Amino acid sequence: MKVCIIAVGSELLLGQIVNTNAQFVSQKFNEAGHHVLEHIVVGDNAQRLENVTRRALQQYDVLVFTGGLGPTKDDLTKQTVADVLNQKLVMNQEAMDYIEHYFKQHGKVMTPNNKQQALVIEGAEVLANKVGMAPGIYVQHDNRHIVMLPGPPKELQPMVVNELMPYFSQGGQTIESEVLRFSGMGESQVETELMDLIDAQSNPTIAPLAGTHEVTIRLTASGENTEMTKQRIAPIKEEILKRIGLYYYGSDDMTPERAVLALQRQTFAVYDQVTDGLLHARLKQEDTKHLLKGYMLHHPQFIDDALSIKGQLYTAAYFVQALYESEQSISLLSKNNTVYIGLLNGDTFHIKTFQMAQMRHLQRDRSQNYILITWLNWLKHLDNPSIIDKI
C-alpha cells in the first residue's frame, strides 16, 4: 500500500523539535512491505490541515497522522479529520476511564479539557496508549486507512509496534535495505562508475547519497520474505564492489575506524601532523583489543626537516614504532596540499598520498576517512605487499 505520513505541529515547522516520528513510522511500514511515498509537515491550523488531508486521501491508501491529539486548543487533528470524513467524534469510555485513573494515580486534578483526549471517530478502532493519555485511532473509510497517533515519541513508538502494525502486517511483501559505505571518492564519481546499473535498476533499487566525507549506496529490495530480498540484493552488491570496492569499508552502521580495527591484528602507534589527534580519538574509542599503543603529535624537534618528505615520513613512523614498541605504525604528514601516509610493518614501509584542501580545518577533518580507507586496504593486502603499492 501507498503510505503518506502527516506530522502535525507548528513546533516542527519552527525547528524547535526534530520529526523523529516520521522516521520511525516509515521504518515500520517499510519493514511490513508497504511503500512510504511522502512526508508532510503541517502547522496547527485547521484549514491547512484539512487541505492536506483532502489531497492525501486522493493519492494514498494509508494516511498516518502524528501529533495533535492532546487536550489544548491547538490539538486539531481528530476534529479536522472527522470533519473531512463527515464523521462524528464520540466519547470512548475505556479511554476516559484510563485518563481519570491516570490523574488520580498521580494525585493531580483533571481539568475539563482533558476529556477531549478520550474522543475518537465514531466506528474507529482505538489504539491503546499504555504510556500516556491520548489513545490512537484507526479508521477505514472508502478503501482508505486513516491512522492518528500521539506526538510524544515515547507514546507513539510502542503504540505503533504493539497496537498499529498488526493491522498492516497480514501478508504482503517484505522490504529490506542494505547501506553500502564508501570513503575516498565523491558522489559524482560513484554515479559515473555505476550509471548503467542505476539506469537499469528495478528490484533492488540503487540510491547513492553523499554524506560527511563519505558516500553511501542504499540497496532496497522487496520480496515475499527476508531471504528473498537478501538474494536479490546480493548480486547487485557484488557487482558494485567489483567496480568500486577499493573505497568500501562496510555496510549499515559500520564506521571506517571500526572496519580498520576489525582487520588489525598487530599492535600499532600513530604519528600525526594532519588530524590534530582526532584520528587517534576515533580509533581509541573502538579499540576493544587494546592494539593502539600510543600516538604522538608532530613537532619539528622529532623530525629532521632537511630530509625529503618521504624521508621524514619514514623517520616519523620508525620513531613512534620504536617509542611505543609496537609491531606497526602509521605516520601522517602534509606538505603543499598533499597528505602523506606512511605504513610501517616491521621493516616493510609503504607510502600513500592524496590531495587535500589547503584550509587547515578541512585537511584535519576530511583527511581522516581517506587515511582510514587507505589503512584498511593496506590491511587487506598485508600478505601480498606488491599489491599495496598498486592500489
Side-chain angles (χ1 to χ4, degrees):
M1 288 188 284
K2 297 181 294 184
V3 182
C4 176
I5 299 172
I6 303 171
V8 183
S10 297
E11 66 275 11
L12 293 166
L13 295 173
L14 293 171
Q16 295 172 341
I17 63 172
V18 178
N19 189 12
T20 57
N21 286 338
Q23 179 187 31
F24 182 83
V25 174
S26 290
Q27 289 173 344
K28 296 307 174 185
F29 270 90
N30 278 298
E31 287 170 2
H34 305 291
H35 301 273
V36 178
L37 301 183
E38 186 173 4
H39 287 183
I40 300 173
V41 179
V42 60
D44 299 310
N45 180 282
Q47 186 59 59
R48 286 195 287 272
L49 180 55
E50 178 182 338
N51 294 340
V52 164
T53 302
R54 292 189 185 279
R55 176 176 71 82
L57 281 170
Q58 295 176 356
Q59 295 178 272
Y60 301 106
D61 305 307
V62 183
L63 278 61
V64 181
F65 294 85
T66 66
L69 304 185
T72 61
K73 287 185 178 181
D74 60 356
D75 291 308
L76 306 168
T77 302
K78 284 186 290 190
Q79 185 62 63
T80 304
V81 173
D83 290 344
V84 171
L85 300 180
N86 197 26
Q87 297 288 327
K88 295 188 298 184
L89 290 176
V90 297
M91 182 67 66
N92 180 268
Q93 191 58 49
E94 185 177 352
M96 189 69 251
D97 291 343
Y98 179 83
I99 293 170
E100 289 176 339
H101 175 73
Y102 183 92
F103 275 95
K104 184 178 180 180
Q105 186 179 38
H106 289 82
K108 297 179 180 180
V109 177
M110 187 182 82
T111 56
N113 59 353
N114 279 283
K115 293 182 179 181
Q116 78 178 48
Q117 295 186 94
L119 294 174
V120 301
I121 293 177
E122 189 173 25
E125 298 287 338
V126 176
L127 307 177
N129 188 339
K130 299 178 180 179
V131 180
M133 286 184 285
I137 300 170
Y138 167 57
V139 60
Q140 296 187 56
H141 180 82
D142 291 344
N143 296 319
R144 297 291 188 267
H145 305 262
I146 297 98
V147 179
M148 283 157 274
L149 303 169
K154 68 178 182 179
E155 299 179 27
L156 176 141
Q157 292 182 9
M159 185 182 291
V160 168
V161 173
N162 300 317
E163 308 295 331
L164 177 63
M165 292 318 298
Y167 289 101
F168 293 93
S169 300
Q170 306 301 319
Q173 287 193 314
T174 297
I175 297 178
E176 296 280 346
S177 293
E178 181 175 355
V179 179
L180 311 182
R181 297 187 175 276
F182 301 82
S183 185
M185 64 188 311
E187 185 181 17
S188 59
Q189 184 182 354
V190 168
E191 192 168 275
T192 299
E193 296 285 350
L194 306 179
M195 184 59 71
D196 60 316
L197 298 179
I198 294 172
D199 288 342
Q201 66 179 303
S202 56
N203 186 14
T205 59
I206 305 170
L209 178 66
T212 304
H213 316 322
E214 69 171 16
V215 174
T216 62
I217 299 174
R218 187 182 69 248
L219 303 178
T220 304
S222 60
E224 295 179 4
N225 50 52
T226 299
E227 183 179 358
M228 180 177 290
T229 59
K230 289 182 177 179
Q231 288 175 352
R232 287 175 172 169
I233 288 173
I236 299 298
K237 176 183 176 180
E238 182 179 1
E239 179 60 29
I240 289 172
L241 294 185
K242 281 182 181 179
R243 301 185 187 191
I244 55 174
L246 180 65
Y247 304 95
Y248 172 75
Y249 65 83
S251 295
D252 298 327
D253 62 351
M254 181 60 70
T255 63
E257 57 270 29
R258 194 180 304 156
V260 164
L261 288 167
L263 290 184
Q264 187 71 37
R265 297 289 182 266
Q266 296 174 288
T267 59
F268 66 96
V270 178
Y271 186 98
D272 187 0
Q273 186 200 17
V274 178
T275 78
D276 293 337
L278 295 176
L279 182 65
H280 170 266
R282 289 174 63 174
L283 290 164
K284 190 67 176 177
Q285 190 171 7
E286 297 288 345
D287 183 25
T288 58
K289 294 180 287 187
H290 306 293
L291 297 175
L292 175 53
K293 294 303 181 182
Y295 85 110
M296 178 171 290
L297 294 177
H298 172 69
H299 193 281
Q301 71 180 21
F302 302 130
I303 306 297
D304 184 358
D305 59 10
L307 295 172
S308 67
I309 185 65
K310 293 184 179 181
Q312 294 179 45
L313 196 67
Y314 175 80
T315 301
Y318 182 84
F319 176 73
V320 76
Q321 182 169 307
L323 178 66
Y324 289 105
E325 298 180 343
S326 63
E327 297 162 291
Q328 297 174 357
S329 63
I330 305 293
S331 56
L332 310 171
L333 297 174
S334 62
K335 184 177 182 180
N336 299 330
N337 296 352
T338 301
V339 172
Y340 294 81
I341 308 171
L343 309 166
L344 182 59
N345 180 36
D347 296 326
T348 305
F349 189 60
H350 302 276
I351 295 174
K352 295 293 176 183
T353 65
F354 59 85
Q355 299 296 307
M356 188 53 61
Q358 187 172 8
M359 295 175 65
R360 175 63 182 150
H361 73 280
L362 292 179
Q363 183 183 92
R364 179 197 64 197
D365 294 340
R366 292 182 177 176
S367 61
Q368 293 176 52
N369 281 3
Y370 285 80
I371 292 165
L372 287 166
I373 205 71
T374 300
W375 192 343
L376 183 63
N377 283 313
W378 177 54
L379 291 170
K380 288 177 180 177
H381 299 96
L382 269 180
D383 294 335
N384 194 344
S386 63
I387 294 179
I388 297 174
D389 294 324
K390 298 177 182 179
I391 60 177

